């Protein structure tokens, strides 16, 4: 059985008290914290950048899982490392030379993740499966929290898992977007190792309980 990792996305949390959000995650069964950096160019939304990551680093003891939705990711790898990122996941679509970025991320001592939007064929990831530490399959189009889960994700996961088997790849599989208590069991059974969840955790009355249920589903 896969190890089940929950990575709460703070995009849906209350930014007026970031320290409390970090403390809640510290107390929870989530092993990671998911941080969505958006630049208003790669996606039609702007979220937050280095100062927020540094503030989270100060208060959060969990693994910093940073998902960058930005153009020219290669320019900022060192800055993300300095800001406390431990897993840095960039978009294949935004990368001129994905292998070079993977190498840069590793040189900075971070784990490297690669991700694609739901309309990009899974096949494009094949050359990188033995190079990355994680593949993130987006189950909504990157840019906003609170969107509905795209059901075709399960088929994409199966296709990716087959490719990984053929290549004997051991990278983790993360799924991000519209994840909730209803679809979490099916996502784990299709091979997800890490589930990102924003709205379903932070818009709930009791986020700790949702994390606990998701982790033990
Ligand atoms: C979307 C982000 C997600 C988002 C998930 O671009 O990558 O991490 O915060 O939010 P929910 O769980 O609300 O779909
Ligand atoms: Zn994300």
């Amino acid at each position: 059985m896969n190890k089940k990792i929950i990575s709460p996305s703070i995009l849906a949390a209350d930014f007026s008290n970031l320290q409390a959000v970090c403390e809640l995650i510290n107390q929870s069964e989530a092993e990671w914290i998911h941080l969505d950096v958006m630049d208003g160019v790669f996606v039609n939304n702007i979220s937050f950048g280095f100062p927020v990551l540094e503030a989270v680093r100060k208060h959060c003891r969990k693994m910093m899982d940073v998902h960058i939705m930005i153009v020219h990711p290669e320019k900022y790898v060192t800055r993300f490392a300095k800001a406390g990122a431990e897993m840095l996941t960039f978009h294949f679509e935004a990368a001129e030379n994905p292998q070079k970025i993977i190498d840069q991320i590793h040189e900075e001592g971070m784990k490297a993740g690669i991700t694609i939007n739901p309309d990009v064929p899974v096949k494009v990831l094949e050359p990188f499966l033995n190079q990355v530490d994680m593949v993130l399959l987006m189950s909504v189009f990157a840019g906003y929290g609170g969107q509905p889960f795209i059901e075709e994700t399960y088929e994409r996961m199966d296709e990716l898992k087959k490719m990984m088997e053929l290549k004997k790849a051991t990278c983790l599989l993360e799924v991000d977007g519209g994840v909730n208590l209803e679809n979490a069991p099916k996502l784990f059974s299709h091979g997800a190792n890490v589930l990102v969840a924003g709205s379903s955790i932070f818009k709930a009355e009791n986020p700790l309980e949702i994390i606990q249920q998701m982790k033990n589903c």
Side-chain angles (χ1 to χ4, degrees):
M1 192 57 196
N2 283 334
K3 190 174 181 324
K4 296 172 178 173
I5 296 172
I6 310 297
S7 193
S9 164
I10 67 164
L11 198 60
D14 179 4
F15 278 78
S16 64
N17 196 345
L18 203 49
Q19 186 173 349
V21 174
C22 292
E23 281 162 6
L24 182 137
I25 296 175
N26 284 343
Q27 260 184 54
S28 77
E29 288 186 40
E31 282 96 341
W32 294 10
I33 178 171
H34 187 83
L35 300 144
D36 290 298
V37 177
M38 303 177 184
D39 67 352
V41 181
F42 180 70
V43 290
N44 278 327
N45 197 9
I46 298 178
S47 57
F48 52 78
F50 303 118
V52 170
L53 297 181
E54 283 157 13
V56 167
R57 178 70 297 162
K58 244 207 267 172
H59 295 289
C60 190
R61 294 191 298 271
K62 306 293 174 121
M63 225 270 309
M64 277 177 62
D65 171 30
V66 179
H67 173 195
I68 53 173
M69 288 158 266
I70 64 171
V71 294
H72 299 303
E74 71 285 350
K75 283 195 197 167
Y76 301 100
V77 171
T78 307
R79 294 283 306 276
F80 283 111
K82 287 211 169 79
E86 290 167 277
M87 170 73 77
L88 189 64
T89 301
F90 66 94
H91 274 264
F92 167 85
E93 307 92 306
E96 250 172 61
N97 185 342
Q99 185 58 54
K100 216 167 144 189
I101 299 176
I102 295 165
D103 294 341
Q104 256 182 298
I105 295 174
H106 285 150
E107 278 157 26
E108 291 292 342
M110 296 179 287
K111 294 206 185 306
I114 192 166
T115 183
I116 49 173
N117 266 312
D119 61 346
V120 177
V122 169
K123 191 96 181 109
V124 302
L125 298 173
E126 197 171 4
F128 311 108
L129 294 181
N130 294 106
Q131 317 299 325
V132 292
D133 302 283
M134 186 172 84
V135 168
L136 163 56
L137 284 184
M138 290 304 297
S139 42
V140 300
F141 282 88
Y144 294 91
Q147 305 178 73
F149 179 83
I150 298 174
E151 296 289 327
E152 284 74 28
T153 304
Y154 300 115
E155 287 152 43
R156 291 166 62 76
M157 294 172 75
D158 295 347
E159 191 188 340
L160 179 74
K161 278 278 163 186
K162 254 188 229 142
M163 251 164 47
M164 282 174 58
E165 248 164 64
L166 282 173
K167 301 202 80 178
K168 297 197 178 14
T170 55
C171 53
L172 296 173
L173 169 54
E174 181 177 63
V175 179
D176 180 8
V179 174
N180 54 36
L181 284 182
E182 281 86 73
N183 54 28
K186 192 163 168 189
L187 288 167
F188 281 129
S189 74
H190 280 256
N193 307 101
V194 189
L195 295 185
V196 176
S199 310
S200 66
I201 292 176
F202 291 105
K203 303 293 182 214
E205 217 154 276
N206 190 340
L208 281 179
E209 209 173 276
I210 306 292
I211 294 171
Q212 195 231 347
Q213 285 174 21
M214 203 172 272
K215 166 97 186 160
N216 298 292
C217 70

